[in-house]
Amino acid sequence: MSDTDRLYALSSTYTHPWLSDVDGPGLLINGAIVAMRWYLNHEREENLAVAEVSEDGGVTWRAITPASCTRTPDALLPSGRRRRRRGRSGAALLREALAAEAAEWLDHRIRYVQPDDPVQHRPRTPGLASWRRGGQIWALALDTVPDEQVLTHLAGQYTDSQSEGPERARTGALDTLNSLVLADDPADADIPELLRTLRHVNRLTFGFEIGQLKARAEQAQHKILNQLISRHPQTAAVARAHPDPQHPAQRAARTYLHRLSLIGADGEERLLADAARDFTEALEALQAAEAARPPATAAPDADTPGPEPIPGYPRQMDGDLQAAAQWRVISPAARRDADRAMAHVVNAATALAEAKAAADPERPAGPAKSRAMRLHTDRLRGLEELNAQHALLMHAHVMVDAEAAAVAARRSAIVAAAQAAEDMPAPRTSADIQAGHEAFMAHVNAAEDSIAHTLGAQRQITRDALHRLFPQSTGRSGLHHLRTRLIDRAGLGFAAYNAAWRAIGDTARTLESLEAAYRSNAAEFGRPPVTAEQLEQARTAAGEAGPHFDDLKRSRPVTLRAVKALDGVAGPEPSPSGSLAQRAARITAQSRQARTAV
């Protein structure tokens, strides 16, 4: 499997307390090193970082932790001896850049300030307890112990060296890793050890991180609690009688175990007795309330839900980055453009790391470093814009599929109504005929209204995507520029299609001419003889012309179809078509066609 078949979708949702529901930056990249560096530079205490990976080019996705995301760079960057700055390899430079960025990421945790703190002040030197907290966060996020290179970069940022700090960070990471290992397999641990581990993970979840880090700590907490509640002598009976974790008796048992973990196995007898008494009183109160409750009456049977008006719709994409990746599965031209943009970003990130390593940190950025920074920013912005374009096309493609599925759904509704009418007794009077016609129309009208509602919801999803990704392109003029960007500038215009078709014959004729000249070793007057390199370049061009045209032949129709669908969401909604009489006549005609088809 090639590297381009492994895609990393990283997104960050800004969760500032005064600016909620604001989307943060995002990146879709096939470079594992760039993905990890993006995470280290963008995941902060105000952000909720999410990482997902696809190993089949964007067809299916699975969630991963940052720890899984960082193992691949470790495998791609072999460790070696530290050489002189001028002679260091690209792998060593990237490893050092990762270490520096990891130290900066960890510094935001060690000198942590709550986002809603009115005094956003970070101390020049953190306390020793903060070093331990940083090690715990490192273990939760990256599943390792901070290495020496990261801690060296970290200690160099503070005015006080704090020789005990790195060791505190390692200790905190080791304790957390041991707790996670025990949570994954708690069956062999005794009850005091489980209580000590529960106390540790409780501290990780209390007033702690958001997002994946807190979720992982809470998952370990639930695993230990599930093991404790079934093994502790005072809670095992409750777990057997009430297996539902949401039952009040189970919640009381879990609260009791939380108190035991805080008190400790060797805690004061008075505190242990108070916890046991409160747990017993809570169970007795629940039993009394259960006995006083009147018997529940059987609830009437709910109406069985009918079939979906359009099966599978409205369809909500999992995210814009994944929508962009799925569009590249449909459009080979989009996949080619994305691979090129991703390669540019990877090369620009490597060049920036080399420029930073060669620059003097005591002086302002020189021309080489400034050029590398501008190039990296431009390449990253280009990839982000390409991701937005592909995501919008995928949203529009889903809407077109929904409209096509609606046609089949309408036909199925008419056939079902016609079959229901045939199953009714034969009409004897004109009133029976009128009643049968009204029942038929009521069935069809209800189905069409439901289908229209589903299409409206799908259209609203596409409209929201257009406003979110290209808010300046919602008007007619803006939509025209967006259409030009999605078709002509993407190389999918009519002229590019014809040029690709002509290139098949032109490259074949050029290759044939060069091969003849190369075999005869003859050269025209004033021109040098044909070289083997020129011949190889002509073979490559001739070999790529056919697949390039095939890619355009697949990509152009689906792109035009998706772009055309955007016209229906950029402007106001169209008014309902036709009167009730016209609608009834149209449905009657469709009913005859459907019966004929059956």
Side-chain angles (χ1 to χ4, degrees), residues 82-103:
R82 183 73 63 85
R83 296 182 289 175
R84 293 184 299 107
R85 170 174 291 185
R86 188 171 297 177
R88 278 181 293 172
S89 64
L93 292 175
L94 288 175
R95 185 174 291 279
E96 184 171 351
L98 275 170
E101 290 162 353

PDB file of all heavy atoms in Angstrom, residues 82-103:
ATOM      1  N   ARG A  82      23.975  12.284  16.739  1.00  0.00           N
ATOM      2  CA  ARG A  82      23.898  13.723  16.510  1.00  0.00           C
ATOM      3  C   ARG A  82      25.179  14.195  15.840  1.00  0.00           C
ATOM      4  O   ARG A  82      26.275  14.007  16.356  1.00  0.00           O
ATOM      5  CB  ARG A  82      23.685  14.453  17.845  1.00  0.00           C
ATOM      6  CG  ARG A  82      23.520  15.945  17.726  1.00  0.00           C
ATOM      7  CD  ARG A  82      22.172  16.286  17.137  1.00  0.00           C
ATOM      8  NE  ARG A  82      21.092  15.844  17.994  1.00  0.00           N
ATOM      9  CZ  ARG A  82      20.633  16.568  19.016  1.00  0.00           C
ATOM     10  NH1 ARG A  82      21.159  17.729  19.299  1.00  0.00           N
ATOM     11  NH2 ARG A  82      19.636  16.109  19.745  1.00  0.00           N
ATOM     12  N   ARG A  83      25.051  14.788  14.661  1.00  0.00           N
ATOM     13  CA  ARG A  83      26.208  15.286  13.939  1.00  0.00           C
ATOM     14  C   ARG A  83      26.244  16.805  13.993  1.00  0.00           C
ATOM     15  O   ARG A  83      25.388  17.440  14.584  1.00  0.00           O
ATOM     16  CB  ARG A  83      26.155  14.813  12.481  1.00  0.00           C
ATOM     17  CG  ARG A  83      26.257  13.292  12.353  1.00  0.00           C
ATOM     18  CD  ARG A  83      26.254  12.889  10.895  1.00  0.00           C
ATOM     19  NE  ARG A  83      24.932  13.104  10.313  1.00  0.00           N
ATOM     20  CZ  ARG A  83      24.662  12.925   9.010  1.00  0.00           C
ATOM     21  NH1 ARG A  83      25.617  12.563   8.192  1.00  0.00           N
ATOM     22  NH2 ARG A  83      23.457  13.114   8.553  1.00  0.00           N
ATOM     23  N   ARG A  84      27.222  17.373  13.338  1.00  0.00           N
ATOM     24  CA  ARG A  84      27.311  18.821  13.317  1.00  0.00           C
ATOM     25  C   ARG A  84      26.085  19.384  12.607  1.00  0.00           C
ATOM     26  O   ARG A  84      25.499  18.749  11.740  1.00  0.00           O
ATOM     27  CB  ARG A  84      28.594  19.275  12.588  1.00  0.00           C
ATOM     28  CG  ARG A  84      29.872  18.908  13.318  1.00  0.00           C
ATOM     29  CD  ARG A  84      31.096  19.455  12.607  1.00  0.00           C
ATOM     30  NE  ARG A  84      31.224  18.929  11.257  1.00  0.00           N
ATOM     31  CZ  ARG A  84      30.983  19.636  10.153  1.00  0.00           C
ATOM     32  NH1 ARG A  84      30.583  20.888  10.270  1.00  0.00           N
ATOM     33  NH2 ARG A  84      31.135  19.105   8.965  1.00  0.00           N
ATOM     34  N   ARG A  85      25.727  20.634  12.951  1.00  0.00           N
ATOM     35  CA  ARG A  85      24.507  21.237  12.416  1.00  0.00           C
ATOM     36  C   ARG A  85      24.519  21.228  10.894  1.00  0.00           C
ATOM     37  O   ARG A  85      23.541  20.923  10.239  1.00  0.00           O
ATOM     38  CB  ARG A  85      24.364  22.658  12.941  1.00  0.00           C
ATOM     39  CG  ARG A  85      23.263  23.452  12.252  1.00  0.00           C
ATOM     40  CD  ARG A  85      23.054  24.787  12.879  1.00  0.00           C
ATOM     41  NE  ARG A  85      22.469  24.637  14.203  1.00  0.00           N
ATOM     42  CZ  ARG A  85      22.093  25.665  14.963  1.00  0.00           C
ATOM     43  NH1 ARG A  85      22.274  26.897  14.531  1.00  0.00           N
ATOM     44  NH2 ARG A  85      21.572  25.463  16.146  1.00  0.00           N
ATOM     45  N   ARG A  86      25.655  21.559  10.299  1.00  0.00           N
ATOM     46  CA  ARG A  86      25.693  21.648   8.857  1.00  0.00           C
ATOM     47  C   ARG A  86      25.586  20.275   8.206  1.00  0.00           C
ATOM     48  O   ARG A  86      25.184  20.139   7.064  1.00  0.00           O
ATOM     49  CB  ARG A  86      26.999  22.341   8.425  1.00  0.00           C
ATOM     50  CG  ARG A  86      27.077  22.663   6.953  1.00  0.00           C
ATOM     51  CD  ARG A  86      28.290  23.531   6.663  1.00  0.00           C
ATOM     52  NE  ARG A  86      28.167  24.807   7.353  1.00  0.00           N
ATOM     53  CZ  ARG A  86      29.126  25.747   7.321  1.00  0.00           C
ATOM     54  NH1 ARG A  86      30.259  25.524   6.688  1.00  0.00           N
ATOM     55  NH2 ARG A  86      28.953  26.881   7.966  1.00  0.00           N
ATOM     56  N   GLY A  87      25.972  19.226   8.938  1.00  0.00           N
ATOM     57  CA  GLY A  87      25.986  17.905   8.342  1.00  0.00           C
ATOM     58  C   GLY A  87      24.827  17.021   8.762  1.00  0.00           C
ATOM     59  O   GLY A  87      24.839  15.838   8.455  1.00  0.00           O
ATOM     60  N   ARG A  88      23.857  17.533   9.477  1.00  0.00           N
ATOM     61  CA  ARG A  88      22.760  16.694   9.930  1.00  0.00           C
ATOM     62  C   ARG A  88      21.830  16.321   8.779  1.00  0.00           C
ATOM     63  O   ARG A  88      21.604  17.110   7.865  1.00  0.00           O
ATOM     64  CB  ARG A  88      21.970  17.397  11.030  1.00  0.00           C
ATOM     65  CG  ARG A  88      22.604  17.253  12.394  1.00  0.00           C
ATOM     66  CD  ARG A  88      21.776  17.939  13.441  1.00  0.00           C
ATOM     67  NE  ARG A  88      21.777  19.381  13.246  1.00  0.00           N
ATOM     68  CZ  ARG A  88      21.004  20.211  13.939  1.00  0.00           C
ATOM     69  NH1 ARG A  88      20.171  19.730  14.833  1.00  0.00           N
ATOM     70  NH2 ARG A  88      21.057  21.507  13.733  1.00  0.00           N
ATOM     71  N   SER A  89      21.264  15.128   8.863  1.00  0.00           N
ATOM     72  CA  SER A  89      20.370  14.660   7.817  1.00  0.00           C
ATOM     73  C   SER A  89      18.979  15.280   7.990  1.00  0.00           C
ATOM     74  O   SER A  89      18.665  15.875   9.027  1.00  0.00           O
ATOM     75  CB  SER A  89      20.272  13.138   7.873  1.00  0.00           C
ATOM     76  OG  SER A  89      19.689  12.732   9.100  1.00  0.00           O
ATOM     77  N   GLY A  90      18.150  15.096   6.933  1.00  0.00           N
ATOM     78  CA  GLY A  90      16.789  15.619   7.019  1.00  0.00           C
ATOM     79  C   GLY A  90      15.982  14.941   8.110  1.00  0.00           C
ATOM     80  O   GLY A  90      15.163  15.583   8.768  1.00  0.00           O
ATOM     81  N   ALA A  91      16.212  13.641   8.325  1.00  0.00           N
ATOM     82  CA  ALA A  91      15.490  12.938   9.390  1.00  0.00           C
ATOM     83  C   ALA A  91      15.841  13.502  10.751  1.00  0.00           C
ATOM     84  O   ALA A  91      14.979  13.672  11.621  1.00  0.00           O
ATOM     85  CB  ALA A  91      15.807  11.441   9.333  1.00  0.00           C
ATOM     86  N   ALA A  92      17.137  13.822  10.974  1.00  0.00           N
ATOM     87  CA  ALA A  92      17.544  14.384  12.263  1.00  0.00           C
ATOM     88  C   ALA A  92      16.936  15.767  12.466  1.00  0.00           C
ATOM     89  O   ALA A  92      16.522  16.125  13.574  1.00  0.00           O
ATOM     90  CB  ALA A  92      19.066  14.441  12.346  1.00  0.00           C
ATOM     91  N   LEU A  93      16.877  16.566  11.390  1.00  0.00           N
ATOM     92  CA  LEU A  93      16.284  17.900  11.510  1.00  0.00           C
ATOM     93  C   LEU A  93      14.794  17.806  11.828  1.00  0.00           C
ATOM     94  O   LEU A  93      14.277  18.559  12.661  1.00  0.00           O
ATOM     95  CB  LEU A  93      16.505  18.671  10.205  1.00  0.00           C
ATOM     96  CG  LEU A  93      17.950  19.052   9.877  1.00  0.00           C
ATOM     97  CD1 LEU A  93      18.027  19.697   8.505  1.00  0.00           C
ATOM     98  CD2 LEU A  93      18.521  19.986  10.927  1.00  0.00           C
ATOM     99  N   LEU A  94      14.084  16.876  11.166  1.00  0.00           N
ATOM    100  CA  LEU A  94      12.658  16.730  11.440  1.00  0.00           C
ATOM    101  C   LEU A  94      12.418  16.196  12.844  1.00  0.00           C
ATOM    102  O   LEU A  94      11.464  16.592  13.521  1.00  0.00           O
ATOM    103  CB  LEU A  94      12.027  15.808  10.406  1.00  0.00           C
ATOM    104  CG  LEU A  94      11.887  16.387   9.002  1.00  0.00           C
ATOM    105  CD1 LEU A  94      11.368  15.338   8.041  1.00  0.00           C
ATOM    106  CD2 LEU A  94      10.967  17.599   9.000  1.00  0.00           C
ATOM    107  N   ARG A  95      13.281  15.299  13.301  1.00  0.00           N
ATOM    108  CA  ARG A  95      13.134  14.782  14.657  1.00  0.00           C
ATOM    109  C   ARG A  95      13.336  15.896  15.681  1.00  0.00           C
ATOM    110  O   ARG A  95      12.615  15.978  16.678  1.00  0.00           O
ATOM    111  CB  ARG A  95      14.129  13.645  14.899  1.00  0.00           C
ATOM    112  CG  ARG A  95      13.974  12.968  16.254  1.00  0.00           C
ATOM    113  CD  ARG A  95      14.873  11.768  16.364  1.00  0.00           C
ATOM    114  NE  ARG A  95      14.437  10.699  15.488  1.00  0.00           N
ATOM    115  CZ  ARG A  95      13.459   9.855  15.790  1.00  0.00           C
ATOM    116  NH1 ARG A  95      12.824   9.961  16.949  1.00  0.00           N
ATOM    117  NH2 ARG A  95      13.112   8.899  14.960  1.00  0.00           N
ATOM    118  N   GLU A  96      14.311  16.750  15.432  1.00  0.00           N
ATOM    119  CA  GLU A  96      14.532  17.866  16.359  1.00  0.00           C
ATOM    120  C   GLU A  96      13.379  18.860  16.306  1.00  0.00           C
ATOM    121  O   GLU A  96      12.974  19.410  17.339  1.00  0.00           O
ATOM    122  CB  GLU A  96      15.846  18.561  16.009  1.00  0.00           C
ATOM    123  CG  GLU A  96      16.205  19.668  16.991  1.00  0.00           C
ATOM    124  CD  GLU A  96      17.608  20.203  16.778  1.00  0.00           C
ATOM    125  OE1 GLU A  96      18.358  19.601  15.992  1.00  0.00           O
ATOM    126  OE2 GLU A  96      17.936  21.225  17.403  1.00  0.00           O
ATOM    127  N   ALA A  97      12.833  19.098  15.107  1.00  0.00           N
ATOM    128  CA  ALA A  97      11.676  19.998  14.997  1.00  0.00           C
ATOM    129  C   ALA A  97      10.478  19.419  15.751  1.00  0.00           C
ATOM    130  O   ALA A  97       9.752  20.143  16.447  1.00  0.00           O
ATOM    131  CB  ALA A  97      11.329  20.218  13.529  1.00  0.00           C
ATOM    132  N   LEU A  98      10.264  18.099  15.640  1.00  0.00           N
ATOM    133  CA  LEU A  98       9.180  17.467  16.388  1.00  0.00           C
ATOM    134  C   LEU A  98       9.398  17.586  17.888  1.00  0.00           C
ATOM    135  O   LEU A  98       8.454  17.834  18.651  1.00  0.00           O
ATOM    136  CB  LEU A  98       9.070  15.994  15.993  1.00  0.00           C
ATOM    137  CG  LEU A  98       8.233  15.660  14.761  1.00  0.00           C
ATOM    138  CD1 LEU A  98       8.433  14.205  14.368  1.00  0.00           C
ATOM    139  CD2 LEU A  98       6.765  15.942  15.003  1.00  0.00           C
ATOM    140  N   ALA A  99      10.646  17.413  18.329  1.00  0.00           N
ATOM    141  CA  ALA A  99      10.931  17.528  19.760  1.00  0.00           C
ATOM    142  C   ALA A  99      10.678  18.944  20.260  1.00  0.00           C
ATOM    143  O   ALA A  99      10.110  19.143  21.343  1.00  0.00           O
ATOM    144  CB  ALA A  99      12.376  17.116  20.037  1.00  0.00           C
ATOM    145  N   ALA A 100      11.088  19.949  19.483  1.00  0.00           N
ATOM    146  CA  ALA A 100      10.869  21.334  19.894  1.00  0.00           C
ATOM    147  C   ALA A 100       9.385  21.666  19.938  1.00  0.00           C
ATOM    148  O   ALA A 100       8.903  22.337  20.867  1.00  0.00           O
ATOM    149  CB  ALA A 100      11.597  22.274  18.935  1.00  0.00           C
ATOM    150  N   GLU A 101       8.626  21.202  18.949  1.00  0.00           N
ATOM    151  CA  GLU A 101       7.192  21.481  18.936  1.00  0.00           C
ATOM    152  C   GLU A 101       6.463  20.697  20.022  1.00  0.00           C
ATOM    153  O   GLU A 101       5.480  21.196  20.600  1.00  0.00           O
ATOM    154  CB  GLU A 101       6.633  21.142  17.552  1.00  0.00           C
ATOM    155  CG  GLU A 101       7.090  22.113  16.482  1.00  0.00           C
ATOM    156  CD  GLU A 101       6.926  21.568  15.079  1.00  0.00           C
ATOM    157  OE1 GLU A 101       6.585  20.384  14.935  1.00  0.00           O
ATOM    158  OE2 GLU A 101       7.156  22.336  14.129  1.00  0.00           O
ATOM    159  N   ALA A 102       6.942  19.478  20.324  1.00  0.00           N
ATOM    160  CA  ALA A 102       6.344  18.722  21.418  1.00  0.00           C
ATOM    161  C   ALA A 102       6.609  19.403  22.758  1.00  0.00           C
ATOM    162  O   ALA A 102       5.750  19.421  23.644  1.00  0.00           O
ATOM    163  CB  ALA A 102       6.891  17.298  21.431  1.00  0.00           C
ATOM    164  N   ALA A 103       7.810  19.985  22.922  1.00  0.00           N
ATOM    165  CA  ALA A 103       8.107  20.714  24.153  1.00  0.00           C
ATOM    166  C   ALA A 103       7.225  21.948  24.285  1.00  0.00           C
ATOM    167  O   ALA A 103       6.739  22.272  25.383  1.00  0.00           O
ATOM    168  CB  ALA A 103       9.584  21.110  24.169  1.00  0.00           C
TER     169      ALA A 103
END
